[in-house]
């Protein structure tokens, strides 16, 4: 193992290199003249060992050969095999995240990050932070995940933009899960424009960005823009070798097909994604496929199969302790249960999920975490209250949902909710308030397929 540097000193600092040369020369019993000849002088070696000169690469290679160590070990203080060993363990940590609990994988990534920092291995540190951010996304620690991804971007600031795209996508996903749909779109679109302006049409980076943009577009009601992103992703897929990226593309494209009523095609796309994730042993993404297939069945009116798929998704996510995703699936499962006439079962599932400020719920879905699904949970509880004739409680839930969805700009859900609230207000004789609710909903549906995001990103050459 490499010796630890003096406190605060970088391993490639001239003084640190000088100390290493002096130590290694002493261990091998060489004089300064024996180390220097024939290319250098004893005086040069003396100056180098005192840390007064930064040696050139040629000088370091000469000295490394004479000292019988690798150039990397002499230049950085770390053995040549260290980086390769760290990268191998990063792969093992990735596998642990794919197949097990995120907090267990997070402990591995944290340890690997500390080791990378200790040896000034910047790329390996960035990879460990990327993995840690992905762990925190799964466990619902969204602020921590954003910090990890932002740190990766800083570490790779001097690298080409495609190297930073996975971190940017991770940060956008964290904002999406928080409920900041518009900012998630901004991050993805601005990166696409920056790639295009620089002529960096990297297929992997582009596919990752277009696939990631589908979800916030759909939630905002920007269906035309989502469909265009899906078309571009499909065109890019043949140029991408990473099966996980291709699987993610199929899952994203399925959302646009569902919106267009192309249910059979959506199910086929999800089946492709599911098979790839199964082969790759990526259990969280496999659960997302079951989740979306449940949604497809629910849209098609097949509630029995919808419930089965959603329960499978929930079981996988719960076994992985992916808390936020588990709670989101439970909201959609509750919707299916209510539609199947099992209202009490649905209500029992929903109440513990919400952070409410009273004694009804102790869960964590709310304004800063899973806002869109928190709005969905309040909407369902409002419908259940209406069915029981409790209009006051129904209105409370609808208003809570409205507050969450307005902040997140979830246009389609907002329009439906405003209709429900307007109908309730009208039935209870508050016509003016009902008209205001309808107007709010119409405002979000006035321009279907568009948003106020500004011009769409430039289309790359295919």
């Amino acid at each position: 193992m490499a010796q630890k540097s003096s406190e605060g000193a970088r391993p490639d600092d001239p003084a640190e290199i000088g100390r290493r040369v002096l130590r290694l020369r002493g261990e091998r019993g060489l004089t300064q003249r024996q180390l220097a000849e024939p290319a250098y002088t004893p005086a040069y070696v003396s100056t180098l060992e005192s840390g007064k000169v930064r040696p050139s690469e040629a000088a370091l290679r000469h000295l490394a050969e004479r000292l019988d160590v690798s150039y990397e070990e002499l230049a950085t203080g770390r053995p040549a095999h260290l980086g390769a060993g760290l990268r191998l363990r990063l792969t093992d940590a990735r596998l642990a995240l794919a197949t097990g609990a995120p907090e267990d994988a997070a402990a591995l990534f944290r340890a690997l990050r500390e080791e990378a920092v200790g040896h000034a291995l910047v790329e390996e540190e960035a990879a460990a932070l990327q993995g840690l951010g992905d762990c925190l996304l799964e466990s619902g620690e969204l602020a921590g995940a954003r910090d990890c991804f932002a740190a990766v971007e800083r570490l790779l600031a001097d690298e080409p933009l495609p190297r930073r795209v996975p971190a940017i996508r991770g940060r956008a996903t964290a904002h999406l899960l928080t409920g900041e749909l518009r900012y998630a779109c901004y991050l993805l679109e601005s990166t696409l424009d920056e790639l295009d302006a620089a002529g960096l049409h990297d297929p992997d980076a582009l596919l990752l960005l277009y696939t990631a943009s589908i979800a916030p577009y759909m939630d905002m009601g920007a269906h035309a823009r989502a469909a265009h992103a899906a078309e571009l992703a499909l065109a890019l897929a043949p140029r991408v070798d990473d099966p996980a990226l291709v699987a993610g593309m199929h899952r994203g494209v399925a959302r646009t097909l569902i919106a267009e009523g192309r249910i059979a095609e959506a199910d086929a796309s999800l089946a492709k994604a599911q098979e790839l994730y199964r082969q790759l042993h990526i259990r969280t993404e496999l659960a997302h496929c079951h989740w979306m297939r449940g949604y497809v069945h629910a849209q098609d009116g097949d509630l029995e199969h919808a419930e089965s798929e959603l329960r499978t998704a929930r079981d996988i996510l719960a076994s992985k302790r992916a808390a936020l995703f588990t709670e989101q699936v439970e909201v959609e499962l509750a919707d299916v249960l209510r539609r199947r006439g099992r209202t009490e079962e649905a209500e029992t599932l929903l109440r513990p999920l919400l952070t409410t400020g009273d004694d009804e719920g102790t869960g964590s879905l709310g304004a800063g975490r899973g806002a869109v699904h928190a709005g969905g949970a309040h909407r369902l509880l409002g419908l259940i209250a209406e069915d029981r004739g409790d209009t006051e409680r129904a209105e409370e839930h609808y208003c809570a949902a409205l507050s969450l969805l307005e902040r997140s700009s979830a246009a389609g859900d907002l329009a439906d909710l405003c209709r429900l609230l307007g109908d309730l207000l009208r039935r209870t004789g508050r016509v003016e308030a009902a008209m205001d609710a309808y107007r709010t909903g119409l405002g979000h549906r006035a321009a279907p397929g568009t948003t106020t995001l500004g011009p769409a990103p430039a289309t790359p050459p295919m």
Side-chain angles (χ1 to χ4, degrees):
M1 290 295 291
Q3 296 293 312
K4 286 189 177 181
S5 301
S6 300
E7 187 175 349
R10 289 172 51 89
D12 59 353
D13 183 82
E16 288 298 306
I17 294 174
R19 276 189 280 270
R20 277 196 295 276
V21 172
L22 177 62
R23 174 178 57 79
L24 291 166
R25 182 174 66 80
E27 289 173 359
R28 284 152 180 75
L30 298 174
T31 67
Q32 289 179 336
R33 181 178 298 279
Q34 288 171 323
L35 181 59
E37 290 180 346
Y40 299 93
T41 66
Y44 176 74
V45 172
S46 177
T47 305
L48 187 154
E49 288 181 344
S50 65
K52 295 176 181 177
V53 63
R54 177 178 290 279
S56 66
E57 181 180 339
L60 278 177
R61 291 193 180 279
H62 165 81
L63 296 172
E65 183 178 353
R66 301 287 287 173
L67 293 166
D68 194 27
V69 296
S70 69
Y71 164 77
E72 181 183 0
E73 183 171 352
L74 189 60
T76 66
R78 57 180 177 258
H81 67 270
L82 184 64
L86 264 174
R87 287 188 289 275
L88 185 61
R89 282 183 286 150
L90 281 165
T91 301
D92 291 341
R94 276 276 168 204
L95 181 61
L97 174 59
T99 58
E103 56 264 39
D104 295 339
L108 298 176
F109 282 118
R110 286 192 179 98
L112 290 167
R113 188 227 176 168
E114 286 183 17
E115 192 171 340
V117 169
H119 294 287
L121 289 164
V122 174
E123 288 199 15
E124 287 73 14
E125 181 188 356
L129 277 168
Q130 180 75 36
L132 179 57
D134 290 336
C135 292
L136 296 177
L137 274 185
E138 279 205 22
S139 59
E141 299 172 58
L142 303 180
R146 287 198 302 269
D147 290 344
C148 285
F149 296 130
V152 174
E153 291 179 61
R154 289 193 296 273
L155 284 169
L156 302 180
D158 295 330
E159 296 290 322
L161 180 56
R163 289 275 288 108
R164 300 196 297 278
V165 162
I168 294 168
R169 178 258 188 186
R171 195 153 57 94
T173 302
H175 283 289
L176 169 66
L177 292 171
T178 301
E180 298 168 315
L181 308 183
R182 195 174 301 281
Y183 189 67
C185 290
Y186 163 76
L187 283 175
L188 299 167
E189 290 190 343
S190 60
T191 305
L192 283 164
D193 280 333
E194 193 176 342
L195 284 171
D196 186 69
L200 297 170
H201 302 121
D202 179 273
D204 286 22
L206 290 170
L207 184 64
L208 194 59
L209 291 167
Y210 282 122
T211 299
S213 66
I214 290 172
Y217 283 157
M218 292 297 294
D219 286 343
M220 290 184 67
H223 295 167
R225 201 170 284 196
H228 184 57
E231 288 171 9
L232 293 173
L234 282 165
L236 285 161
R239 298 163 55 192
V240 172
D241 295 325
D242 186 343
L245 288 181
V246 175
M249 179 274 299
H250 283 303
R251 186 160 64 86
V253 166
R255 279 202 70 173
T256 66
L257 295 172
I258 294 167
E260 294 169 6
R262 296 156 65 182
I263 301 299
E265 292 171 70
D267 197 50
S269 188
L270 286 170
K272 292 176 187 175
Q274 209 164 335
E275 182 56 32
L276 286 168
Y277 287 134
R278 190 176 286 110
Q279 291 171 10
L280 295 167
H281 306 290
I282 304 179
R283 295 181 66 219
T284 299
E285 302 300 336
L286 180 62
H288 276 78
C289 289
H290 284 290
W291 179 355
M292 193 170 289
R293 292 189 93 168
Y295 178 75
V296 169
H297 288 308
Q299 291 292 101
D300 204 29
D302 186 351
L303 299 181
E304 182 179 353
H305 282 100
E307 181 182 345
S308 174
E309 291 284 6
L310 290 170
R311 287 193 183 279
T312 299
R314 186 183 65 164
D315 290 347
I316 294 172
L317 293 168
S319 71
K320 285 190 90 269
R321 297 187 294 233
L324 176 57
F325 295 142
T326 303
E327 292 168 350
Q328 290 177 318
V329 170
E330 286 175 340
V331 173
E332 300 198 21
L333 175 59
D335 182 38
V336 170
L337 292 173
R338 188 191 71 85
R339 290 169 62 187
R340 297 196 74 185
R342 289 147 62 187
T343 303
E344 288 187 9
E345 200 175 335
E347 190 173 14
T348 301
L349 197 58
L350 289 169
R351 289 200 179 279
L353 302 179
L354 295 170
T355 303
T356 59
D358 57 23
D359 61 356
E360 282 188 354
T362 58
S364 56
L365 288 181
R369 190 174 182 275
V372 174
H373 279 80
H378 277 295
R379 171 189 173 277
L380 286 170
L381 287 169
L383 286 168
I384 291 169
E386 266 205 273
D387 290 342
R388 290 180 178 154
D390 188 348
T391 56
E392 183 177 348
R393 181 49 63 97
E395 185 177 345
E396 288 176 7
H397 281 299
Y398 290 154
C399 288
L402 185 62
S403 174
L404 288 162
L405 296 176
E406 279 189 316
R407 272 181 277 178
S408 64
S409 304
D413 292 340
L414 262 169
D416 174 66
L417 183 66
C418 288
R419 178 187 59 79
L420 290 172
L421 179 59
D423 289 350
L424 174 65
L425 293 168
R426 182 171 51 81
R427 283 196 300 272
T428 55
R430 287 169 286 170
V431 177
E432 284 300 319
M435 293 298 291
D436 287 341
Y438 291 139
R439 288 189 192 99
T440 300
L442 286 170
H444 290 288
R445 300 296 289 176
T450 64
T451 70
T452 57
L453 288 167
T459 300
M462 291 293 175

